[in-house]
């Protein structure tokens, strides 16, 4: 009933192929047997490195994000899972099936090692990035003394409308890929490996990356129709990344050196209200021209916003309460973050509106001095808040990357 | 504050460009200004034709499907909306903004004509397909006498677990594209045009087309990891399409000639249970080899399934209750349908499982003799039902295509 398929033979033959370079590079070899595939799909992103992939990697088109709770108190089981996850991530990010002995074409008496829906699909620039939530550092696993001081419980922000079912989590998995089926497959297979050890708490799909994270990318638009993330930190800004994103050796949590903090916020957008708002109002709220993306008072997208320039009648071109002004490094005492969010549409809300918005993801070096004060100020003053509602929230410590023999979390749990 | 952007100039210059050919052909010109785009993204699908696009069009990668209710009793308002929708669909499927006078760069005192999030994105093979539900043919619009006899209220099927909030609708919009943001943009802008006339009842996103509808496409995999739709009707089978998909002039509803009936079923898959099932069991349930997709007892995907071949001990290679056997034309008295569904993941279900499955879409000429008896038989006997749950359901009459001067529904409502 089962056969040695071409894929299988190919998979075995290709198993030793080395991956080329760091970042998006090399060709995904194993799962694709024919038919043209675009470069966005055939590229593989190197899994190993000083930092986890999926942070400064040029943002892929699709996201599946899952927050999980650990359902055991057995530290050894948790560590074994992190090791298994790391091995599976190595395989999947290289475009290979997971499981031993042939996975889908394995023993008829056992469940296949791989669930199969990504067979024939190339790696699609898949990255897998994990994080540890504050609740992991309770008394279950002996980690209480290792909780980083910056891994705080996020405070309540003005106008938060959080749904507890969309908040928190002991662990998170961020899967990004240029094919949603590849991202979904990866999360599902990690979740499956966690059966008996972890359980999905909440998960979120996203599309149409709402920020670019590299100068090689154009700026995408959010569901308000505006270019978003023009001033985002970029992979090329290595000095700024060291300053604003990567946890340093002197930051108080040696195990997290080379890691970061990931903030996840599910931001529902009231798009029907927005769509009935005049162009002028929309541009005043954002602080940019809708068509070109230029800061108000300037002429091109990448012109620097001048927060002091005034137009007719001496009025500030960028209003006091415009999003661009309030979110700017100038208004935020030089604070910057690396945004990596996605647009989402989760069907309808039952009263005639689309359940749509921005799944905000951002990496920063210390949320106490970066995300938290920034969000406090935005939540209190940003006019954009009139059109949005924060419905989910979580914070995770993102451990550093791993080498070929390592596993996710080894600096926390030990070799 | 608003400027004549490059895009705008380009848009105006390109407005008279004719679209090439039928099906996926021609290059999307207007919304893309630079950067490489894959053919899947730059292609446009001709909107006009004897049939609506989005039925035999090679299935695109992404879906946004919306069911709407009409909130007015004013027939003229409904007809005006259908005309406005048709004009907007002409623009959007050609990769253009909608709205008069420049849309996003229009009057600062008015809301932009286009919501903007698809600016710079190419047409991405966008198709828009609409349908009329049974409830439209009540006494509100004088259509009661024109309700097609085949547009029945679907019967309750064994094991249905329908959520009323995911069923029915006066109208539906099926948007398919190779970029989800383009599909979402299209639905959102039609919904917006309907403000005051229609309201979204439910909507569903999907990805990873779960069937191919053309011999030019490879067979995709569903979330059970199996190739799905190998034996689907294909665009190239024109005689079979005439027999099984397109409503004929003698079928009792002249206004629907050249149209079809669209069945939508949201099928939740219990993927965690499935994933714990042995390979042998999975293959017996489906009736195909998981790796190759070959019917059991055969060696290659496109080998014809032999329902009579027996293996070891005289056992039927394809079990009596296997999905492939029960869904086959041989078991269904020659009945065939055109499947065009999508995989979905709607986050998590709150008890640790992914809310995932298949959003089944199928076109057929007469659901009374095609979908309904087929589903009755599958619901009663198919072992696959143990792993699935039908949670949403709807049936729509899909009017024929329109010419350059026409509008959706003109054969029903009159010129």
């Amino acid at each position: 009933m089962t056969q040695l398929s071409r894929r299988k033979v190919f998979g075995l033959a290709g198993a030793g192929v080395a991956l080329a370079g760091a970042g998006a590079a090399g060709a995904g070899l194993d799962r694709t047997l024919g038919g043209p595939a675009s470069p966005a799909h055939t590229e593989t992103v190197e899994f190993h490195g000083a930092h986890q992939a999926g942070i400064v990697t040029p943002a892929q088109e699709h996201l599946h994000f899952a927050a999980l709770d650990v359902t055991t108190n057995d530290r050894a089981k948790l560590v074994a899972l992190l090791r298994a996850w790391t091995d599976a991530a190595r395989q999947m990010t290289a475009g290979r099936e997971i499981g031993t002995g042939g996975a889908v074409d394995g023993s008829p008496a056992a469940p296949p090692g791989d669930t199969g829906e990504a067979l024939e699909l190339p790696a699609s620039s898949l990255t897998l990035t994990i994080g540890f939530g504050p609740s992991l550092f309770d008394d279950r696993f002996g980690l209480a003394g290792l909780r980083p001081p910056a891994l705080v419980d996020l405070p309540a922000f003005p106008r938060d409308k959080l749904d507890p079912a969309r908040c928190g989590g002991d662990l998170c998995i961020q899967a990004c890929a240029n094919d949603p089926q590849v991202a979904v497959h990866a999360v599902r297979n990690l979740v499956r490996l966690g059966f008996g050890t972890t359980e999905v708490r909440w998960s979120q799909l996203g599309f149409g990356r709402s920020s670019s994270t590299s100068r090689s990318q154009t700026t995408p638009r959010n569901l308000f129709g505006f270019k978003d993330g023009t001033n985002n930190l970029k992979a090329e800004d290595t000095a700024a990344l060291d300053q604003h994103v990567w946890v340093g050796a002197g930051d108080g949590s040696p195990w997290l050196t080379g890691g970061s903090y990931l903030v996840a916020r599910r931001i529902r957008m009231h798009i029907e209200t927005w769509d009935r708002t005049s162009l002028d109002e929309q541009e005043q709220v954002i602080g940019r021209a809708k068509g070109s993306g230029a800061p108000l008072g300037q002429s091109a997208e990448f012109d620097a916003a001048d927060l002091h320039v005034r137009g007719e009648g001496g009025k500030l071109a960028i209003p006091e309460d415009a999003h661009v002004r309030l979110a700017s490094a100038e208004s935020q005492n030089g604070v910057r973050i690396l945004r990596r969010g996605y647009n989402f549409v989760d069907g309808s809300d039952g009263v005639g509106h689309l359940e749509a918005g921005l799944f905000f993801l951002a990496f920063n070096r210390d949320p106490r001095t970066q995300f938290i004060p920034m969000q406090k100020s935005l939540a209190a003053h940003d006019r954009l808040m009139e059109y949005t509602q924060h419905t989910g929230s979580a914070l995770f410590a993102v451990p550093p990357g791993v080498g070929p023999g390592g596993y996710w979390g080894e600096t926390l749990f030990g070799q």
Side-chain angles (χ1 to χ4, degrees), chain A residues 27-256:
Chain A
L29 289 175
D30 292 15
R31 275 194 312 228
T32 320
L33 290 176
S38 74
H41 286 105
T42 54
E43 278 173 357
T44 17
V45 178
E46 172 63 50
F47 176 73
H48 301 117
H51 310 296
Q52 287 192 68
I55 303 174
V56 299
T57 306
Q60 302 94 324
E61 290 292 327
H62 300 278
L63 168 79
H64 190 185
F65 189 95
L68 302 98
D69 287 328
V70 184
T71 55
T72 177
N73 289 339
D74 184 340
R75 177 181 167 124
K77 268 187 89 170
L78 176 57
V79 172
L81 176 62
L82 289 168
R83 288 186 188 272
W85 274 5
T86 310
D87 287 339
R90 284 189 179 100
Q91 297 298 106
M92 293 191 290
T93 56
R96 289 195 281 263
E97 289 178 80
I98 64 167
T100 51
V104 166
D105 291 343
S107 159
D114 186 293
T115 58
E117 71 272 23
L119 284 171
E120 297 101 21
L121 299 179
S124 307
S125 296
L126 174 68
T127 55
L128 289 161
T129 315
I130 71 149
F132 302 136
S135 52
L136 193 71
F137 296 84
D138 58 13
D139 53 9
R140 288 174 292 169
F141 310 108
L143 299 175
L146 291 166
R147 177 169 169 174
L151 187 64
V152 296
D153 297 311
L154 288 176
F157 295 104
R159 303 196 237 186
D160 269 1
K161 298 269 184 194
L162 303 180
D163 173 359
R166 298 186 189 276
C167 294
D170 291 338
L171 303 169
C172 76
I173 303 166
Q174 174 196 279
C176 299
N178 287 319
D179 185 325
Q181 186 131 333
V182 170
V184 161
H185 170 265
V187 167
R188 174 193 185 170
N189 279 272
L190 296 186
V191 167
R192 184 186 178 207
L193 287 170
F195 180 71
T197 308
T198 57
E199 195 171 82
V200 176
R201 185 179 172 90
W202 52 271
S203 81
Q204 179 70 54
L205 263 68
F207 60 88
R209 62 188 170 82
S210 81
S211 293
S212 47
T213 56
S214 161
R215 299 198 193 290
S216 66
Q217 302 186 295
T218 57
T219 310
R221 289 180 186 269
N222 62 29
L223 292 182
F224 284 148
F226 277 76
K227 294 195 180 193
D228 202 345
T230 299
N231 284 333
N232 202 22
L233 286 172
K234 303 287 198 304
E236 294 82 1
D237 307 331
T238 50
L241 294 172
D242 284 339
Q243 188 185 342
H244 299 292
V245 175
W246 305 125
V247 173
D251 287 1
S253 291
W255 71 265
L256 198 56

Side-chain angles (χ1 to χ4, degrees), chain A residues 371-405:
Chain A
F371 174 74
I372 292 171
M374 181 179 277
Q375 179 56 22
K376 273 191 178 154
S377 141
L378 289 172
H381 305 296
D382 185 354
R383 249 172 86 202
L384 196 51
M385 290 297 295
E386 291 175 26
Y387 301 93
T388 60
Q389 204 168 59
H390 288 237
T391 60
S393 179
L395 176 66
F396 301 94
V398 174
V402 297

